Each structure stands twice: as C-alpha cells, then as structure tokens.
Amino acid sequence: MSEEQKPTTVNQDQPTETWFSSWFDTPYYHILYKDRNYREAQVFMDNLTHYLNLPEKAKVLDLACGKGRHSIYLNQLGFNVLGADLSENSIEQASKNTNDSLHFEVHDMREPFEEKYDAIFNLFTSFGYFENDEDNLTTLKAIKESLSEYGFAVIDFMNVTQVINTLVPEETKTVDGIDFHLKRYLKEGHIYKEIDFEDQGRKFHYTEKVRALTLNDFEELMEEAGIFLLDIFGDYKLKKFHKTESERLIMIFK
C-alpha cells in the first residue's frame, strides 16, 4: 500500500497512513473537488437505475460513498440505501442525513457485507487505490459476495486510455482562496496526481495514486473472480464505450 502523509510542513512528511485514508479525511479534499458536476451525476443515477430496472425500495449499496451526496439522491429516488466509506470523517458528515431508509457506515471495500444488495454502485473512480493488485481482486470478490441472487453491480472508472492521452501535466486550481498546484503523470502502471498548497501559514502535500486499469485488466480480474460482465458504457448517458474517446469506463456485472 502506498504510504503517504498527513498534512504537515513540506520537510516533515511522515509516512503514517495510506494516501487515501489521510487525504480523503481532510477538508481540503472536499474543497478541491467541490465543483464536480453533481447534476451530471444525478442524471447518471437516473439513467443507471432505469437501465437496471431496480424494483421499488430495492436495497442499494453505495460503495466508497464519500460524504453521501449520491447515496442521498438514490434514497430520494425511493431506494433503501447504505452508504459505505473508509473515511470516518466523511461518514460522520454523511450520517447527518440518516433516515429509516438511508444509513451510513465506515467500511473497507475489501470486506464483503453480511447483507445482500440488489445493486452495488462503486462510482467516480473509487477503485484501484491499493498498492497490492491482489486487493483489487479481493474487492471484486467482496462485491460479488454482497450481491443478492438477482443483483447487479456497477463500477464507474476512468477510461485510462483517454485519460493518459489527454493528461494535463501541470496546472493550478484556485478554490476558496487556496491555490492547489497539481502535477499529473503515469508511473509504473499508476496515474499519479501530486497536490501542493499552502493554507494558514502551513504547506501541505498529498499524492493521489490510482492503478491504470484498462477494460482488459478488469476483464481479467472479473474472470478470476468468477464475475460475469454484462454491459459496458462510455459516459453517464450510457452511450457505447469507445476505447480512445470515451470519458468513462462503466461496467455492469454480476
């Protein structure tokens, strides 16, 4: 597992935690990505649940749910939703929206759930963070084990080929008065994003690292996990997947 650091001054980095458990738990992660297109995400949820023809009050698991925005919307669509995430901070925030048919819990996606779900959604490239490739296979097996007999699972991943071809090596994004300096590159089968910024007189550094998994990689993993890949889409409108042009790699399986 990639060992990254909690926020600190630049010369005092401490390799204490996995990058995702430290970075996702900071408020800065949510500041940097606050302008994501959530309307587009809701259209995706509408299209996806319609395509899957989920029954009313179906049990839906939002795996790696963050602060629960999409879990909340899925619940508004009439589903019984559990949002799960490794980040305790995110789950604490999400849990403020709990109701009789919407719940949240801290959970490692490598572990299966006792409950069985009609649909499991892993959205917006929330896969491939692990240093050990075996953990990706373990996660797929856990998803399969957590599905009901007639359930479907969905992984919404980046289209690695398109991302690499259009990678912006360096840029600065200013959000809430903070200048986030971003560097992106491909190294040893992973796509990296280094994030540097200053706030309140302190310097911070984080590194995002995601396995550059192609459709072929997923197909091999799924075959090994005993998973049947049903359909593949290339964007949130569920258009056909194109290897070099599609923005997303959306896989539906059971």
Side-chain angles (χ1 to χ4, degrees), residues 84-123:
D85 199 281
L86 190 62
S87 167
E88 294 183 6
N89 176 61
S90 292
I91 291 299
E92 182 181 354
Q93 293 294 317
S95 294
K96 296 176 182 178
N97 300 285
T98 297
N99 60 46
D100 289 343
S101 57
L102 175 62
H103 299 89
F104 296 93
E105 68 176 58
V106 176
H107 187 91
D108 188 319
M109 68 170 66
R110 291 168 287 191
E111 298 291 331
F113 289 78
E114 291 184 16
E115 188 89 33
K116 303 298 182 185
Y117 293 89
D118 300 307
I120 299 176
F121 296 155
N122 178 252
L123 306 171

Side-chain angles (χ1 to χ4, degrees), residues 183-242:
K183 292 183 179 181
R184 302 179 181 89
Y185 54 91
L186 178 68
K187 179 182 176 183
E188 297 175 350
H190 291 81
I191 294 174
Y192 285 80
K193 181 190 291 182
E194 293 192 15
I195 304 158
D196 289 279
F197 57 95
E198 293 186 25
D199 187 40
Q200 298 180 9
R202 300 177 65 198
K203 294 182 179 180
F204 298 85
H205 174 82
Y206 289 97
T207 302
E208 294 181 7
K209 176 183 177 182
V210 181
R211 191 81 168 93
L213 294 165
T214 64
L215 175 57
N216 287 341
D217 293 327
F218 274 107
E219 287 174 336
E220 290 178 6
L221 284 168
M222 288 179 178
E223 183 175 357
E224 191 171 350
I227 285 170
F228 183 59
L229 182 57
L230 299 170
D231 219 337
I232 308 163
F233 298 109
D235 65 18
Y236 294 145
K237 295 179 181 178
L238 303 188
K239 292 182 180 178
K240 184 178 179 180
F241 176 75
H242 188 284

Side-chain angles (χ1 to χ4, degrees), residues 52-86:
L52 294 175
N53 195 25
L54 295 178
E56 188 178 354
K57 299 184 179 179
K59 292 182 179 179
V60 176
L61 171 61
D62 183 9
L63 192 60
C65 68
K67 288 188 175 182
R69 186 182 292 259
H70 308 106
S71 299
I72 293 167
Y73 185 69
L74 286 164
N75 181 241
Q76 290 171 350
L77 292 178
F79 302 116
N80 192 330
V81 181
L82 173 67
D85 199 281
L86 190 62

